[in-house]
Amino acid sequence: MRRIIVRHLQVLIVIIVLFLAACSGSQTAPLTDTAPPTAPAEEAQPADATATTSPTETAQTSSNFIDRNIDPPALPQDASDLASASGACAVCHTGLFDGNGEEVSFDTLWRASMMAHAARDPYWLATVSSETEEFPHLEEVIADKCATCHMPLAHFDAQANQQPTLILGDGFYNPANQLHDLAMDGISCNLCHQIEAGNLGQAESFSGGYLIDTITRTWGERLSYGPLPVDQMGITLMQQGSGYQPVQSAHTAEASLCGSCHVLYTPYLDENGEVAGEFPEQTTYLEWENSSFSGGACADCHMPKVANMPLSNVLNKQQAYLRKHSFTGANAFMLTMLADNATEIGITATDEQMQAAIGRVTEQLTTATGTAVRFGDVTLQDGILTAEVTVQNNTGHKLPSGFPSRRAWLHVWVTDGNGDTVFESGGYDQNGQISGNDNDLDAGHYEPHYTLIDSAEQVQIYEPIMHTTQNEVTTTLLLASGYLKDNRLMPAGFALENADEAISPKGLAVEDENFLGGRDTITYSMDVSDSSGPYTINIQMLYQSIGYRWAENLRPYNAELTQDFFGYYDQADNLPIEIGFAQHFQEGE
C-alpha cells in the first residue's frame, strides 16, 4: 500500500510540475543534485565504451541514482543522470486513443511486447545461464555481449560509470543490484530515443555499438530524439517532467537504428576453448538492406502509423502521424509463456494487454501478405501423384529471421476418396517435434534442403543449422563458427551477387536453381497407388520460434534459470503457427 501511495504522489508531483511549466515556462530543480557536464552533449561514445569519468564523478553518479522501488504492474521509474526507466515517460504518453476508440498509448502497447520483456525472456535467461555454466571463465564476455541489447539501460549506465556489467550472481538480474529495475525494463523508451545518429548503418554500430552521450548529466540538458517536430512548449514540458530535452531527428525512424541490435556477431571458440572469431548470430538488418524493401523502414510493418493523434496527454496538439509502439514481431509462443506465468516472471503488463499483443503477432504471422503457398503443375500417373509447390516470402527479410532457434517448414498431406491420409511429410506432435526431422531425432544430424521430396521421412525445413570449428552440429552460440545449412527464404529482390557472406544461403540451397529471392519451388512425388481418388493435397507453411532441438539441448544444464525455463516450457504446447496454406483437388486415374 505504501508503494502505491508513493506512486500516486510521484505522478501528482509530475502533473503539478507540468502544469506550472505550461503556465509559466519556469524551470524546476531536479529531484536530486546532478553533476555538471564536462563536455558538449554532442560528444557521444559507443554504448560499450569506457567512460573517462574520475572516481569522484563515478561515486557522485552513484549517489544520484533514484530507486523508486515500484511493484508490478506499474512501470519502474528508476533513474540515474544518464538513463531513466519507462515509468517516467508513461506519465505523459499514456491515455491516448485513436478515432475508433482503440488505445494506442505508447506504454500500453510497448509493455506487452518482446522489447519490454527482453530482460525477462525465460529462454534468453536459460541460454545465458547454460552458456555461463558451460564456460564460467567467459561469464564477463557472455554478459557484456548479451546485456548490451537485452538490458541496455543498465549496461550503458554501468559502462559509462566503469561499473561491472554482469547479469547473473550479483549482476543486473539480482534484485539487490542498484541497476536491477533499469535492467529489467528491457529495451525501453530511453534507450532508443537517446541513440545518436553518428555511426548508424555502419559496421561499428552493429552488435550493440550504438552511440549514447556519456558526458551531459545536468537535469534538462540530456537529449531525447524523435521523428516529429517539437515546439517550445513541448520542449519546456518535457524538460520539466522528465529532465530530457526533445529534439527532432529523422534517424529515429530509420531502419539503421534497429540494425544496431538486429545485426549481432557473437564470439566463438575453437576446439581448444580459445576465442577464434565472430559468428553472425542474426543479420535481419543486412537481409533487409539487400532486398527490394530497403527503400522503406522496419517500422512500416512493426510500428504501423496512426494518423491525427496527440503525442501526449498534456498537450492536445494533433500530429500528422504517430507510430504504434507495439513492436509486433513473430514470437507469439514466448508472449504466451510470459502471460501464462506473469506472476512468477514479474511482467509489467496485464493479461488483457498480453492477449492483445499475442493477437497482433498472430495476425501479422498469418496475414496473406506475409507468406503465400501455391501449386504449380499437379499430375497423377501410374499411382504417383506429383505436385509442384512454390512458397513465397513477402517479408522484408529472411523467413524466418532473427535468433537461429526459429524455423518454418512445409507440412504436406494427401487424403484419398475415403478421407484417409495416404501420404504425409512434416507432421508434428504436441511438443513441436517434426516427424521425420533428423535434427529433432538426433542432435548430431539435420534435415538437408530438398528440391524433390518422395518419402514421408523427408521434410522441407527452412532453418539455419550451426556448426562448430570441428564441423559438428550445435545449438551453443559460443561454439557456433558458421552455418552448415541456411535455406531460410530470402526476401524479394535479394541479390546473391551483392550478399555479404554472413547472409548468403548455405548448404544444398546454394545449388538449387529454384531457390530465389522471395521464393522457393519444390516438387513432391507421392505414391498413392494403394488408394483411390479423388485426392486432396493440403499444404501448410508452419512457423515455430523455438525449435524442438533448441530447447531440448538446454535440458541437461543445472543452472537455476535454465531449469526455471523448463518449468514453464514443459507446461506449454510448443505448437507451430500456420502462416500459409493451399489446397488442391485431383481426380483419380
Side-chain angles (χ1 to χ4, degrees):
M1 178 63 70
R2 183 188 66 82
R3 289 176 177 172
I4 295 175
I5 293 173
V6 170
R7 159 76 171 168
H8 289 167
L9 287 174
Q10 290 164 349
V11 173
L12 180 61
I13 290 170
V14 171
I15 293 173
I16 293 172
V17 168
L18 293 173
F19 175 77
L20 293 175
C23 294
S24 65
S26 60
Q27 294 192 358
T28 303
L31 296 178
T32 59
D33 295 331
T34 54
T38 57
E42 60 266 20
E43 294 186 26
Q45 297 180 19
D48 59 353
T50 301
T52 55
T53 53
S54 69
T56 302
E57 290 172 323
T58 300
Q60 190 173 20
T61 299
S62 177
S63 67
N64 289 334
F65 187 85
I66 307 170
D67 186 353
R68 301 292 192 188
N69 199 24
I70 302 296
D71 285 336
L75 295 173
Q77 295 186 2
D78 286 14
S80 71
D81 47 17
L82 290 174
S84 180
S86 57
C89 306
V91 173
C92 294
H93 296 288
T94 195
L96 306 178
F97 295 83
D98 66 14
N100 298 318
E102 178 187 355
E103 185 175 8
V104 291
S105 303
F106 297 159
D107 66 309
T108 300
L109 295 175
W110 166 83
R111 72 163 77 207
S113 71
M114 287 304 301
M115 300 280 276
H117 298 120
R120 300 180 187 274
D121 180 341
Y123 182 64
W124 173 72
L125 290 168
T127 301
V128 170
S129 298
S130 65
E131 300 222 359
T132 301
E133 178 182 326
E134 186 169 357
F135 309 103
H137 62 293
L138 294 175
E139 180 177 9
E140 293 183 10
V141 174
I142 296 169
D144 182 64
K145 178 64 67 173
C146 295
T148 303
C149 288
H150 278 263
M151 296 175 160
L153 290 181
H155 181 273
F156 162 65
D157 193 280
Q159 283 281 324
N161 292 300
Q162 300 178 319
Q163 298 298 313
T165 58
L166 294 176
I167 296 174
L168 307 176
D170 294 330
F172 300 144
Y173 190 74
N174 189 328
N177 188 289
Q178 186 181 51
L179 294 174
H180 172 75
D181 284 349
L182 273 182
M184 303 311 290
D185 209 29
I187 305 165
S188 59
C189 331
N190 200 229
L191 183 276
C192 296
H193 289 280
Q194 282 205 85
I195 293 176
E196 309 220 357
N199 64 355
L200 293 181
Q202 303 172 36
E204 56 265 31
S205 73
F206 302 151
S207 300
Y210 47 78
L211 300 172
I212 298 180
D213 173 25
T214 61
I215 305 301
T216 307
R217 294 170 183 254
T218 301
W219 175 272
E221 292 189 8
R222 288 191 67 78
L223 304 183
S224 181
Y225 300 101
L228 302 175
V230 187
D231 58 22
Q232 186 55 52
M233 177 61 74
I235 292 173
T236 301
L237 286 172
M238 187 161 166
Q239 281 180 310
Q240 299 300 325
S242 70
Y244 287 82
Q245 178 179 337
V247 176
Q248 183 181 17
S249 182
H251 78 274
T252 55
E254 295 173 356
S256 55
L257 188 147
C258 308
S260 60
C261 278
H262 289 286
V263 175
L264 175 61
Y265 292 88
T266 54
Y268 67 83
L269 309 178
D270 60 20
E271 62 273 20
N272 299 316
E274 301 293 332
V275 175
E278 288 192 319
F279 165 73
E281 185 251 54
Q282 63 177 279
T283 55
T284 306
Y285 171 75
L286 296 179
E287 297 157 18
W288 168 88
E289 192 176 40
N290 193 47
S291 78
S292 59
F293 292 81
S294 59
C298 308
D300 293 340
C301 294
H302 299 284
M303 299 177 67
K305 288 183 178 179
V306 185
N308 299 318
M309 288 291 302
L311 180 61
S312 74
N313 54 36
V314 180
L315 294 176
N316 196 34
K317 178 182 177 182
Q318 299 291 302
Q319 301 287 345
Y321 79 90
L322 292 178
R323 290 284 187 184
K324 284 187 176 182
H325 282 51
S326 51
F327 301 101
T328 305
N331 205 345
F333 174 70
M334 183 50 63
L335 288 175
T336 302
M337 182 180 290
L338 289 164
D340 289 346
N341 301 278
T343 302
E344 296 88 338
I345 296 173
I347 69 174
T348 59
T350 66
D351 187 65
E352 181 181 8
Q353 291 164 348
M354 292 300 295
Q355 296 307 320
I358 293 166
R360 287 190 293 269
V361 171
T362 304
E363 181 181 3
Q364 178 151 296
L365 281 169
T366 56
T367 179
T369 58
T371 307
V373 181
R374 65 179 185 270
F375 284 94
D377 292 337
V378 179
T379 61
L380 176 61
Q381 185 174 356
D382 298 330
I384 303 298
L385 183 59
T386 302
E388 190 178 78
V389 177
T390 296
V391 185
Q392 183 172 325
N393 172 22
N394 294 320
T395 68
H397 44 67
K398 288 185 179 181
L399 195 161
S401 186
F403 191 71
S405 67
R406 301 176 176 188
R407 64 185 181 181
W409 74 92
L410 290 175
H411 176 210
V412 179
W413 73 101
V414 180
T415 56
D416 63 12
N418 296 319
D420 296 326
T421 299
V422 294
F423 178 89
E424 184 174 22
S425 165
Y428 56 91
D429 63 19
Q430 263 325 87
N431 296 320
Q433 187 173 10
I434 304 173
S435 302
N437 177 22
D438 290 347
N439 188 238
D440 285 357
L441 294 172
D442 187 330
H445 295 81
Y446 66 96
E447 203 75 4
H449 175 81
Y450 291 100
T451 58
L452 170 68
I453 284 184
D454 56 11
S455 167
E457 296 303 309
Q458 300 168 329
V459 189
Q460 185 73 317
I461 308 175
Y462 300 103
E463 63 182 347
I465 295 291
M466 308 187 308
H467 69 80
T468 68
T469 56
Q470 301 297 97
N471 231 33
E472 297 173 341
V473 178
T474 186
T475 57
T476 301
L477 286 179
L478 274 173
L479 296 179
S481 63
Y483 291 109
L484 288 167
K485 171 190 178 184
D486 184 359
N487 69 336
R488 290 173 290 182
L489 291 167
M490 299 177 290
F494 193 94
L496 287 172
E497 63 274 14
N498 298 329
D500 185 274
E501 172 65 18
I503 61 175
S504 297
K506 304 293 187 299
L508 295 179
V510 177
E511 304 171 12
D512 183 358
E513 295 180 353
N514 293 314
F515 185 75
L516 305 169
R519 67 183 187 275
D520 178 42
T521 299
I522 181 172
T523 300
Y524 283 81
S525 179
M526 302 162 283
D527 188 345
V528 294
S529 58
D530 292 335
S531 62
S532 58
Y535 298 98
T536 303
I537 310 174
N538 303 279
I539 299 182
Q540 286 180 312
M541 181 71 159
L542 299 173
Y543 167 81
Q544 197 174 43
S545 57
I546 302 178
Y548 176 82
R549 178 54 53 198
W550 280 83
E552 290 304 313
N553 280 358
L554 295 181
R555 200 175 287 276
Y557 291 95
N558 295 316
E560 181 179 355
L561 291 175
T562 305
Q563 291 305 309
D564 284 348
F565 164 71
F566 282 103
Y568 311 136
Y569 179 80
D570 289 341
Q571 300 302 312
D573 290 329
N574 192 10
L575 298 175
I577 294 177
E578 179 185 288
I579 59 175
F581 179 79
Q583 190 174 68
H584 177 86
F585 300 99
Q586 181 70 34
E587 293 296 331
E589 290 184 290

